[in-house]
Amino acid sequence: MTTILFTNAKVFTGNNTTFETMDFMADTESGRFVRQETAIAEQTIDLKGKYVMPGLINAHTHIMLDPFFKIGGLSSVSTAETGAVVNTYIAAHNLNKLLKHGVTYLRDVGSSDNIDLQLSKLEKENKITAPGIIGSGPALVMTGGHGVELGWESDGVDEIRKNARTNIKNGARNIKVMATGGVSMDGETPDDVQLSVEEMRAAVDEAHHKGYTACAHAQGTEGIKNAIRAGVDSIEHGIYLDDEAMQMMLDTNTYLVPTLMAPWAISQHLDELPDFMVKKSLAVQEAHIESIGRAAKAGIPIAMGTDAGTAYNDFENGSAQELELLVNAGLTPLQALQSASVRAAELLKINDFAGSIESGKLADFIVIEENPLEDITAVQGDKVVYKKGRKVE
């Protein structure tokens, strides 16, 4: 066991509103922060006035996707062509990228072959060094629906319920449902209503029965409302939020995971992607940004997520870039930092052991050079990452 005392740090714990000068201590054996008065430091690291914040939590990833892989002109979906072995290699590579760039916990919301669930188990057993993972297994989609490449085609309440139960049996701690169409598939739009309220409610009930969460890919207005009516814990994307949808979210404490990086990444590669994807992405981008800004102003809880793995949406600095996009959309820098720490931890139901810098929680944190409350892009700069009290090399 090595107990490390970190001194002379300016710390955003997740619970305070500014960076405060303080010392803190981590135990590398338990991987937790410990109280200074109850432990003896075996090593001291002087942080010399640098800024410390909780490790980033990314609530929307697809770790087994290669965002630069091209099959038939569609760069975001390739799993059927690559197969389970290659997909596992890609996922491990992506996890390494995420961790080195400050993401210490994540939720995966669509995987095949239970790759996310198996990697989650290995990380919990300390057999791999990676971000912690809340896995979902395959998303539940209607036959031919959005995300079918990373999903389980399910029609009707009974089939949805059976498949949700199977996912949970296999280790899922979140159930993902598809309420609407989307941008990345041809022949559908973000406004298309897909799974019904009753179908989604069956999945939500199974997740909540076990104390787990459920989230919905929901972009169009009616699909968003259907997902809220079904009782999901979070709306993913939330492109077309109207006043009624936002009030419903406030009334039910439904979280929003914006994933602004997904359309932004497409906009940087217009000449390299299919016309259908480009046209849909450009059509939704302004409304998406406006919806997120209005949601933040209304007080809807927001958790950071990037949709990493979709077209050109990478696993390196994307999480830090998402924070900049959130601020540009209307969040304050404090709201942005909270979205990637305490708010995300609350949504994922890991807030009893992660998401903030305090005694007893995982010693997951990053050290940066500048104050992100003054300039949110500071999180994109050079950083030192600690996972469970150990420096990530």
Side-chain angles (χ1 to χ4, degrees):
M1 178 180 74
T2 300
T3 307
I4 305 173
L5 175 64
F6 295 87
T7 63
N8 300 316
K10 297 175 182 175
V11 182
F12 171 69
T13 65
N15 297 315
N16 51 3
T17 58
T18 61
F19 282 83
E20 302 175 17
T21 300
M22 65 176 70
D23 300 340
F24 60 95
M25 186 175 286
D27 173 10
T28 60
E29 182 174 330
S30 67
R32 307 273 175 153
F33 293 111
V34 294
R35 296 185 185 279
Q36 294 180 50
E37 59 268 26
T38 62
I40 298 173
E42 298 169 87
Q43 181 181 355
T44 299
I45 296 177
D46 185 351
L47 293 178
K48 301 178 180 178
K50 293 182 179 180
Y51 295 85
V52 173
M53 58 182 284
L56 302 175
I57 300 174
N58 189 326
H60 191 121
T61 69
H62 297 283
I63 58 172
M64 57 181 292
L65 290 182
D66 180 349
F68 307 107
F69 188 87
K70 294 184 179 180
I71 289 286
L74 179 57
S75 67
S76 63
V77 178
S78 59
T79 58
E81 290 83 357
T82 49
V85 173
V86 173
N87 293 335
T88 302
Y89 168 79
I90 291 170
H93 188 54
N94 289 335
L95 288 172
N96 184 55
K97 288 181 178 179
L98 286 164
L99 186 59
K100 286 187 174 180
H101 286 80
V103 175
T104 54
Y105 229 102
L106 62 87
R107 182 178 62 175
D108 195 80
V109 288
S111 182
S112 62
D113 301 295
N114 292 329
I115 289 171
D116 60 334
L117 307 183
Q118 293 299 316
L119 289 172
S120 173
K121 184 172 184 289
L122 291 171
E123 191 282 326
K124 286 179 182 175
E125 295 172 349
N126 293 316
K127 292 178 179 176
I128 60 172
T129 300
I133 303 167
I134 298 294
S136 305
L140 304 185
V141 310
M142 74 176 197
T143 295
H146 185 79
V148 67
E149 299 86 354
L150 292 178
W152 201 339
E153 289 180 311
S154 310
D155 300 302
V157 168
D158 289 344
E159 206 164 85
I160 289 280
R161 192 180 301 279
K162 172 71 172 178
N163 292 341
R165 287 174 175 174
T166 302
N167 270 350
I168 292 170
K169 173 186 174 183
N170 290 336
R173 296 300 176 259
N174 176 73
I175 298 296
K176 168 81 171 293
V177 295
M178 297 293 191
T180 72
V183 168
S184 63
M185 287 183 65
D186 201 4
E188 65 176 26
T189 75
D191 288 316
D192 289 350
V193 173
Q194 297 200 353
L195 290 178
S196 70
V197 174
E198 292 74 22
E199 287 172 318
M200 290 188 287
R201 185 177 292 126
V204 172
D205 285 348
E206 293 305 318
H208 287 178
H209 174 67
K210 291 291 188 179
Y212 305 142
T213 58
C215 67
H217 165 101
Q219 298 186 350
T221 308
E222 191 57 32
I224 291 170
K225 293 175 184 177
N226 284 346
I228 301 167
R229 294 178 185 118
V232 298
D233 297 278
S234 64
I235 296 296
E236 311 298 304
H237 316 301
I239 291 172
Y240 293 110
L241 290 169
D242 65 9
D243 290 342
E244 181 184 22
M246 288 194 291
Q247 189 58 53
M248 291 171 70
M249 294 181 76
L250 289 169
D251 291 343
T252 55
N253 196 39
T254 304
Y255 282 67
L256 176 62
V257 183
T259 69
L260 292 171
M261 275 297 294
W264 181 88
I266 290 173
S267 73
Q268 308 305 300
H269 300 274
L270 298 179
D271 295 333
E272 302 166 61
L273 291 166
D275 286 345
F276 77 83
M277 187 188 297
V278 169
K279 289 176 181 178
K280 286 194 288 183
S281 183
L282 292 178
V284 305
Q285 198 164 14
E286 185 176 341
H288 195 185
I289 293 169
E290 181 183 350
S291 284
I292 302 314
R294 291 174 60 232
K297 186 176 181 180
I300 290 171
I302 293 175
M304 186 273 285
T306 62
D307 213 0
T310 55
Y312 293 100
N313 189 355
D314 68 50
F315 292 85
E316 293 181 339
N317 224 12
S319 300
Q321 288 177 289
E322 180 76 18
L323 298 181
E324 180 184 4
L325 294 177
L326 290 172
V327 171
N328 290 344
L331 276 71
T332 67
L334 176 61
Q335 286 177 311
L337 293 188
Q338 291 172 332
S339 78
S341 55
V342 288
R343 295 290 90 80
E346 290 165 358
L347 169 60
L348 274 54
K349 294 188 181 295
I350 59 173
N351 53 306
D352 59 336
F353 62 85
S356 59
I357 297 174
E358 53 187 307
S359 177
K361 295 194 176 183
L362 290 175
D364 296 348
F365 61 96
I366 60 177
V367 184
I368 55 180
E369 299 292 331
E370 305 293 336
N371 186 347
L373 291 176
E374 296 176 355
D375 180 359
I376 196 65
T377 64
V379 187
Q380 298 173 28
D382 292 338
K383 59 180 71 70
V384 178
V385 182
Y386 284 84
K387 176 64 183 172
K388 297 181 180 177
R390 299 176 184 269
K391 184 178 178 180
V392 175
E393 302 294 347

